[in-house]
Amino acid sequence: MDLLDCRLRIHSRGKTTRSLYFEAGKTLGGLAYGFRESNWDWYLEYAYHHWFTNDSEILRLIRELELTDKLIIKRPITASLYKGKPYQLDSPMNLFAFPGLSMIDKFRTAALLAFLKITPFGNRLKIPQLNTC
Ligand SMILES: Cc1cc2nc3c(=O)[nH]c(=O)nc-3n(C[C@H](O)[C@H](O)[C@H](O)COP(=O)(O)OP(=O)(O)OC[C@H]3O[C@@H](n4cnc5c(N)ncnc54)[C@H](O)[C@@H]3O)c2cc1C
């Protein structure tokens, strides 16, 4: 993904810009590499990734690539396996129904999640990224 972003930045600096890429693997794309069987319409990511719908950077990149109309956003079920059974753990109701935490731990988890959702200092919690382009 970072390579794709770098390529776009370099390309947008001018049509005459030439760049050379070295790739140790068999395909370009690193962990974002997609593969496709001959009878498939779409590519499947080699390594499973998710991103959040408020990830403004990936949305900006998709817009820049003029792929917004191809973007499909669906709400996946996020479940955790506990004592051999899957439990959906992606809403306050599901958290309180989960048998694997004591009531006090459920309240602590809920309080932390609520803090993370409403804190105006979310950017300070991010790990700074190096700009390599
Ligand atoms: C288990 C896991 C889960 C993740 N889940 C998510 C997720 O859900 N959502 C998300 O946004 N991000 C996720 N990430 C992070 C995301 O995959 C990386 O941030 C992203 O792949 C970084 O892209 P990159 O192009 O910098 O590096 P990479 O994708 O690692 O690509 C590096 C490329 O450089 C090549 N290379 C390495 N050394 C050399 C060399 N010496 N010479 C030439 N080529 C070389 C490699 O072969 C590879 O193709 C996850 C990462 C991991 C490991």
Side-chain angles (χ1 to χ4, degrees):
M1 282 177 270
D2 292 353
L3 173 70
L4 175 66
D5 207 21
C6 280
R7 275 186 72 173
L8 203 63
R9 304 278 141 261
I10 292 167
H11 187 72
S12 64
R13 282 179 197 156
K15 286 194 173 115
T16 52
T17 310
R18 295 185 71 193
S19 42
L20 185 61
Y21 305 99
F22 295 93
E23 171 52 60
K26 287 184 185 152
T27 52
L28 281 175
L31 288 171
Y33 152 71
F35 69 99
R36 192 169 80 164
E37 296 290 336
S38 55
N39 57 340
W40 294 0
D41 288 339
W42 290 349
Y43 285 88
L44 184 66
E45 256 187 297
Y46 173 73
Y48 169 81
H49 285 99
H50 74 277
W51 42 267
F52 296 104
T53 47
N54 63 353
D55 183 336
S56 53
E57 280 303 305
I58 194 90
L59 292 172
R60 176 198 54 77
L61 183 60
I62 290 168
R63 265 197 311 276
E64 216 170 313
L65 292 166
E66 296 176 6
L67 292 171
T68 308
D69 60 324
K70 295 201 166 21
L71 177 64
I72 300 168
I73 294 177
K74 290 188 180 263
R75 191 174 194 275
I77 292 174
T78 306
S80 299
L81 200 64
Y82 176 70
K83 292 191 175 171
K85 268 184 74 182
Y87 289 91
Q88 203 170 331
L89 261 181
D90 53 4
S91 74
M93 290 296 281
N94 288 333
L95 173 66
F96 281 97
F98 180 58
L101 288 174
S102 67
M103 198 45 85
I104 186 84
D105 284 343
K106 286 176 187 177
F107 276 107
R108 290 169 61 186
T109 306
L112 178 66
L113 292 175
F115 166 75
L116 291 174
K117 205 156 180 91
I118 61 169
T119 179
F121 309 111
N123 277 339
R124 294 208 188 147
L125 301 172
K126 283 184 183 169
I127 298 168
Q129 293 204 328
L130 293 175
N131 188 353
T132 49
C133 294

